[in-house]
Amino acid sequence: MVRLPSYRSYILRVEEVREEVVDSDLIFWFQGDLGAIQLLFALFGAKTDRKRYFCSSLTEIEQAFASCLDPAFLVLSSSIGFDNIEASLACVDGHAQRCSTLLILKSAVSYSLDRYVKAGVDGFVLEKSIIHQTGALLAFFRSIKSGEPFFDPSIYSTGGTHDRARGVFRLTDREFRVLTLLSRGYTNEEISSAIGCSTYTARDHVNRILHKFGVANRTAAVVFAMRNDIL
């Protein structure tokens, strides 16, 4: 059973999220758990001078973008389907102002999020994270404001380690092997000998892992993998 936060911590978290978007116009298209929907209304539907558009169709999304001069955030639910998500993101691309997009996922996914990222999604939060107030929404808004994409850590908490490495982070089998060797302190030369490739190829494997994890060095990659139960 998930332990819900105390009422005091709940209220504090709600106020923190509201503070992050108090000066922003927001557009929503959300389908899902009633509790999550009610919480979204509580978080973003409160009295404000900025505009809030709660949409239930692609037509309403298009109308919202047509009437909103400066939308800061578009919040979508994965339940509306990829075609509708892609069409909504096309509205973002066609708008004069930059609008960041949050995709709320119905459940942790075992497939790659690449197609959503390529379509233009800036961050991902699980629906259960909204319901149980894990702070993922707050982390998303703060990450976007600092220019960084955001992935809810809860996305990585299910499934086998190798499956998660391949599915969520798109590591190839060889990259997963290289990551394992990195965790043992192997140098590029030692990695090349262990997997039967040149030192340059081993270096390229390491660099791709760093890029996929969004980290700067080998140590950070290993720490990241351990924190996300990949190793």
Side-chain angles (χ1 to χ4, degrees), residues 51-73:
K51 295 179 179 179
R52 301 288 188 264
Y53 299 86
F54 292 93
C55 307
S56 58
S57 68
L58 180 58
T59 298
E60 291 182 5
I61 286 286
E62 294 170 343
Q63 291 172 345
F65 272 100
S67 61
C68 186
L69 298 179
D70 187 26
F73 296 101

mmCIF file of all heavy atoms in Angstrom, residues 51-73:
data_model
loop_
_atom_site.group_PDB
_atom_site.id
_atom_site.type_symbol
_atom_site.label_atom_id
_atom_site.label_comp_id
_atom_site.label_asym_id
_atom_site.label_seq_id
_atom_site.Cartn_x
_atom_site.Cartn_y
_atom_site.Cartn_z
ATOM 1 N N LYS A 51 -4.163 32.602 -17.983
ATOM 2 C CA LYS A 51 -5.196 31.785 -18.618
ATOM 3 C C LYS A 51 -4.963 30.296 -18.384
ATOM 4 O O LYS A 51 -3.837 29.823 -18.351
ATOM 5 C CB LYS A 51 -5.240 32.080 -20.111
ATOM 6 C CG LYS A 51 -5.670 33.514 -20.428
ATOM 7 C CD LYS A 51 -5.682 33.758 -21.931
ATOM 8 C CE LYS A 51 -6.127 35.176 -22.240
ATOM 9 N NZ LYS A 51 -6.123 35.447 -23.702
ATOM 10 N N ARG A 52 -6.069 29.555 -18.233
ATOM 11 C CA ARG A 52 -6.046 28.104 -18.098
ATOM 12 C C ARG A 52 -7.060 27.529 -19.087
ATOM 13 O O ARG A 52 -8.227 27.916 -19.085
ATOM 14 C CB ARG A 52 -6.426 27.678 -16.675
ATOM 15 C CG ARG A 52 -5.509 28.238 -15.581
ATOM 16 C CD ARG A 52 -4.158 27.548 -15.607
ATOM 17 N NE ARG A 52 -3.340 27.918 -14.460
ATOM 18 C CZ ARG A 52 -2.423 28.877 -14.478
ATOM 19 N NH1 ARG A 52 -2.242 29.584 -15.597
ATOM 20 N NH2 ARG A 52 -1.698 29.152 -13.422
ATOM 21 N N TYR A 53 -6.617 26.630 -19.941
ATOM 22 C CA TYR A 53 -7.498 26.017 -20.932
ATOM 23 C C TYR A 53 -7.570 24.515 -20.653
ATOM 24 O O TYR A 53 -6.577 23.801 -20.807
ATOM 25 C CB TYR A 53 -6.969 26.245 -22.350
ATOM 26 C CG TYR A 53 -6.859 27.695 -22.751
ATOM 27 C CD1 TYR A 53 -5.716 28.428 -22.450
ATOM 28 C CD2 TYR A 53 -7.885 28.326 -23.445
ATOM 29 C CE1 TYR A 53 -5.609 29.759 -22.821
ATOM 30 C CE2 TYR A 53 -7.780 29.672 -23.829
ATOM 31 C CZ TYR A 53 -6.639 30.370 -23.503
ATOM 32 O OH TYR A 53 -6.529 31.691 -23.876
ATOM 33 N N PHE A 54 -8.710 24.032 -20.224
ATOM 34 C CA PHE A 54 -8.911 22.608 -19.985
ATOM 35 C C PHE A 54 -9.678 22.032 -21.181
ATOM 36 O O PHE A 54 -10.884 22.244 -21.315
ATOM 37 C CB PHE A 54 -9.663 22.384 -18.670
ATOM 38 C CG PHE A 54 -8.861 22.746 -17.458
ATOM 39 C CD1 PHE A 54 -8.961 24.020 -16.905
ATOM 40 C CD2 PHE A 54 -7.987 21.839 -16.885
ATOM 41 C CE1 PHE A 54 -8.207 24.376 -15.790
ATOM 42 C CE2 PHE A 54 -7.228 22.182 -15.765
ATOM 43 C CZ PHE A 54 -7.344 23.447 -15.219
ATOM 44 N N CYS A 55 -8.976 21.328 -22.040
ATOM 45 C CA CYS A 55 -9.525 20.859 -23.307
ATOM 46 C C CYS A 55 -9.897 19.381 -23.253
ATOM 47 O O CYS A 55 -9.379 18.622 -22.432
ATOM 48 C CB CYS A 55 -8.512 21.081 -24.428
ATOM 49 S SG CYS A 55 -7.899 22.779 -24.545
ATOM 50 N N SER A 56 -10.793 18.992 -24.153
ATOM 51 C CA SER A 56 -11.210 17.588 -24.220
ATOM 52 C C SER A 56 -11.202 17.060 -25.660
ATOM 53 O O SER A 56 -11.711 15.983 -25.923
ATOM 54 C CB SER A 56 -12.615 17.421 -23.632
ATOM 55 O OG SER A 56 -13.555 18.232 -24.323
ATOM 56 N N SER A 57 -10.609 17.831 -26.578
ATOM 57 C CA SER A 57 -10.526 17.393 -27.971
ATOM 58 C C SER A 57 -9.419 18.165 -28.671
ATOM 59 O O SER A 57 -8.948 19.205 -28.176
ATOM 60 C CB SER A 57 -11.850 17.633 -28.705
ATOM 61 O OG SER A 57 -12.094 19.021 -28.858
ATOM 62 N N LEU A 58 -9.020 17.653 -29.832
ATOM 63 C CA LEU A 58 -7.979 18.332 -30.606
ATOM 64 C C LEU A 58 -8.468 19.692 -31.084
ATOM 65 O O LEU A 58 -7.702 20.661 -31.122
ATOM 66 C CB LEU A 58 -7.572 17.466 -31.802
ATOM 67 C CG LEU A 58 -6.482 18.042 -32.701
ATOM 68 C CD1 LEU A 58 -5.205 18.315 -31.912
ATOM 69 C CD2 LEU A 58 -6.199 17.087 -33.855
ATOM 70 N N THR A 59 -9.752 19.786 -31.420
ATOM 71 C CA THR A 59 -10.321 21.069 -31.849
ATOM 72 C C THR A 59 -10.170 22.121 -30.757
ATOM 73 O O THR A 59 -9.801 23.274 -31.027
ATOM 74 C CB THR A 59 -11.809 20.912 -32.219
ATOM 75 O OG1 THR A 59 -11.922 20.004 -33.311
ATOM 76 C CG2 THR A 59 -12.414 22.256 -32.603
ATOM 77 N N GLU A 60 -10.435 21.723 -29.512
ATOM 78 C CA GLU A 60 -10.304 22.662 -28.398
ATOM 79 C C GLU A 60 -8.843 23.048 -28.166
ATOM 80 O O GLU A 60 -8.546 24.187 -27.778
ATOM 81 C CB GLU A 60 -10.910 22.051 -27.135
ATOM 82 C CG GLU A 60 -12.433 21.932 -27.207
ATOM 83 C CD GLU A 60 -13.035 21.369 -25.928
ATOM 84 O OE1 GLU A 60 -12.282 21.167 -24.947
ATOM 85 O OE2 GLU A 60 -14.256 21.144 -25.909
ATOM 86 N N ILE A 61 -7.927 22.107 -28.384
ATOM 87 C CA ILE A 61 -6.497 22.411 -28.277
ATOM 88 C C ILE A 61 -6.120 23.470 -29.308
ATOM 89 O O ILE A 61 -5.431 24.461 -29.004
ATOM 90 C CB ILE A 61 -5.642 21.139 -28.486
ATOM 91 C CG1 ILE A 61 -5.720 20.221 -27.254
ATOM 92 C CG2 ILE A 61 -4.185 21.497 -28.787
ATOM 93 C CD1 ILE A 61 -4.940 20.693 -26.056
ATOM 94 N N GLU A 62 -6.568 23.275 -30.541
ATOM 95 C CA GLU A 62 -6.276 24.227 -31.621
ATOM 96 C C GLU A 62 -6.863 25.600 -31.303
ATOM 97 O O GLU A 62 -6.221 26.635 -31.544
ATOM 98 C CB GLU A 62 -6.823 23.693 -32.941
ATOM 99 C CG GLU A 62 -6.115 22.428 -33.421
ATOM 100 C CD GLU A 62 -6.811 21.779 -34.594
ATOM 101 O OE1 GLU A 62 -8.005 22.100 -34.839
ATOM 102 O OE2 GLU A 62 -6.181 20.949 -35.275
ATOM 103 N N GLN A 63 -8.075 25.616 -30.757
ATOM 104 C CA GLN A 63 -8.715 26.890 -30.402
ATOM 105 C C GLN A 63 -7.961 27.583 -29.268
ATOM 106 O O GLN A 63 -7.816 28.812 -29.260
ATOM 107 C CB GLN A 63 -10.169 26.647 -30.002
ATOM 108 C CG GLN A 63 -11.060 26.215 -31.159
ATOM 109 C CD GLN A 63 -12.448 25.786 -30.709
ATOM 110 O OE1 GLN A 63 -12.692 25.541 -29.517
ATOM 111 N NE2 GLN A 63 -13.377 25.687 -31.660
ATOM 112 N N ALA A 64 -7.461 26.781 -28.321
ATOM 113 C CA ALA A 64 -6.708 27.346 -27.198
ATOM 114 C C ALA A 64 -5.432 28.021 -27.686
ATOM 115 O O ALA A 64 -5.108 29.138 -27.275
ATOM 116 C CB ALA A 64 -6.379 26.245 -26.188
ATOM 117 N N PHE A 65 -4.725 27.360 -28.587
ATOM 118 C CA PHE A 65 -3.493 27.948 -29.110
ATOM 119 C C PHE A 65 -3.791 29.176 -29.969
ATOM 120 O O PHE A 65 -2.983 30.110 -30.023
ATOM 121 C CB PHE A 65 -2.709 26.909 -29.916
ATOM 122 C CG PHE A 65 -1.778 26.080 -29.080
ATOM 123 C CD1 PHE A 65 -2.145 24.798 -28.690
ATOM 124 C CD2 PHE A 65 -0.549 26.573 -28.665
ATOM 125 C CE1 PHE A 65 -1.296 24.032 -27.905
ATOM 126 C CE2 PHE A 65 0.303 25.814 -27.887
ATOM 127 C CZ PHE A 65 -0.066 24.543 -27.502
ATOM 128 N N ALA A 66 -4.942 29.183 -30.625
ATOM 129 C CA ALA A 66 -5.309 30.323 -31.459
ATOM 130 C C ALA A 66 -5.618 31.563 -30.620
ATOM 131 O O ALA A 66 -5.357 32.691 -31.044
ATOM 132 C CB ALA A 66 -6.513 29.970 -32.325
ATOM 133 N N SER A 67 -6.156 31.348 -29.422
ATOM 134 C CA SER A 67 -6.569 32.480 -28.582
ATOM 135 C C SER A 67 -5.547 32.849 -27.512
ATOM 136 O O SER A 67 -5.620 33.942 -26.943
ATOM 137 C CB SER A 67 -7.908 32.171 -27.913
ATOM 138 O OG SER A 67 -7.800 31.037 -27.073
ATOM 139 N N CYS A 68 -4.598 31.950 -27.243
ATOM 140 C CA CYS A 68 -3.603 32.205 -26.191
ATOM 141 C C CYS A 68 -2.318 32.715 -26.826
ATOM 142 O O CYS A 68 -1.671 32.007 -27.597
ATOM 143 C CB CYS A 68 -3.338 30.930 -25.400
ATOM 144 S SG CYS A 68 -2.256 31.193 -23.973
ATOM 145 N N LEU A 69 -1.922 33.928 -26.500
ATOM 146 C CA LEU A 69 -0.753 34.540 -27.125
ATOM 147 C C LEU A 69 0.558 34.005 -26.563
ATOM 148 O O LEU A 69 1.569 33.964 -27.262
ATOM 149 C CB LEU A 69 -0.809 36.067 -26.941
ATOM 150 C CG LEU A 69 -1.997 36.777 -27.592
ATOM 151 C CD1 LEU A 69 -1.930 38.274 -27.291
ATOM 152 C CD2 LEU A 69 -2.011 36.529 -29.101
ATOM 153 N N ASP A 70 0.547 33.600 -25.307
ATOM 154 C CA ASP A 70 1.814 33.231 -24.682
ATOM 155 C C ASP A 70 1.673 32.007 -23.767
ATOM 156 O O ASP A 70 1.888 32.093 -22.562
ATOM 157 C CB ASP A 70 2.356 34.416 -23.880
ATOM 158 C CG ASP A 70 3.751 34.169 -23.344
ATOM 159 O OD1 ASP A 70 4.480 33.366 -23.950
ATOM 160 O OD2 ASP A 70 4.108 34.777 -22.314
ATOM 161 N N PRO A 71 1.300 30.838 -24.324
ATOM 162 C CA PRO A 71 1.193 29.642 -23.472
ATOM 163 C C PRO A 71 2.578 29.149 -23.056
ATOM 164 O O PRO A 71 3.475 29.026 -23.898
ATOM 165 C CB PRO A 71 0.502 28.625 -24.391
ATOM 166 C CG PRO A 71 0.917 29.035 -25.769
ATOM 167 C CD PRO A 71 1.008 30.543 -25.740
ATOM 168 N N ALA A 72 2.769 28.921 -21.778
ATOM 169 C CA ALA A 72 4.074 28.471 -21.289
ATOM 170 C C ALA A 72 4.172 26.951 -21.249
ATOM 171 O O ALA A 72 5.240 26.383 -21.478
ATOM 172 C CB ALA A 72 4.336 29.038 -19.897
ATOM 173 N N PHE A 73 3.034 26.293 -20.948
ATOM 174 C CA PHE A 73 3.058 24.838 -20.804
ATOM 175 C C PHE A 73 1.833 24.194 -21.442
ATOM 176 O O PHE A 73 0.725 24.694 -21.336
ATOM 177 C CB PHE A 73 3.100 24.438 -19.328
ATOM 178 C CG PHE A 73 4.352 24.872 -18.616
ATOM 179 C CD1 PHE A 73 4.336 25.990 -17.807
ATOM 180 C CD2 PHE A 73 5.535 24.167 -18.763
ATOM 181 C CE1 PHE A 73 5.484 26.411 -17.150
ATOM 182 C CE2 PHE A 73 6.689 24.578 -18.117
ATOM 183 C CZ PHE A 73 6.668 25.704 -17.306
#
